Amino acid sequence: MPAPHTGGCLCGAIRYEVTSEPVAAALCHCRDCQYVSGGEPAAVVIVARDALKITKGKPKSYSVVGDSGKHVTRQFCENCGTPLFSDVEANPAIWVVKAGSFDDPSWIKPGAIFYTSSAQPWAHMDANLPQFPKMPG
């Protein structure tokens, strides 16, 4: 499905648009993503920084220090709690958008699985996707 792609939170307080095709899509099993997703991996879409436009509302932020030693700031709706985006200080050229926050996420095709070393024993792993114990690179 060609861009633009629209999305937002469950209650509608925050809306956004992604104006170009994503750089990549992946599944992440890091412990932080498990907390944010409620247990399974976070399905994410990586987009160029200038491709994400917030069109309504202002997300709340929460920052942690990632494995890189740099901050990862997760943004979410303070009304309904929907996880929306991550701002990764180690790669300021991108936004990481939570796949489930798109209005129609059916077009998303994850291309890799990250942080398999943190995955729970009951987590499903697609054997056809490249798998990485941590973040590659």
Side-chain angles (χ1 to χ4, degrees), residues 47-128:
V47 302
R49 174 146 312 263
D50 62 358
L52 176 67
K53 309 287 183 219
I54 297 174
T55 58
K56 179 183 176 188
K58 182 174 171 43
K60 186 130 174 114
S61 297
Y62 177 76
S63 289
V64 297
V65 176
D67 286 350
S68 68
K70 300 196 180 236
H71 284 94
V72 176
T73 303
R74 289 176 174 79
Q75 298 189 345
F76 56 95
C77 176
E78 71 178 323
N79 294 325
C80 66
T82 301
L84 298 165
F85 325 111
S86 294
D87 186 5
V88 182
E89 184 182 23
N91 193 342
I94 63 162
W95 280 103
V96 179
V97 182
K98 302 298 186 264
S101 70
F102 282 100
D103 292 333
D104 175 11
S106 64
W107 57 271
I108 298 167
K109 307 253 184 293
I113 304 172
F114 302 139
Y115 282 91
T116 57
S117 62
S118 302
Q120 297 304 315
W122 41 262
H124 170 74
M125 301 264 197
D126 185 339
N128 296 314

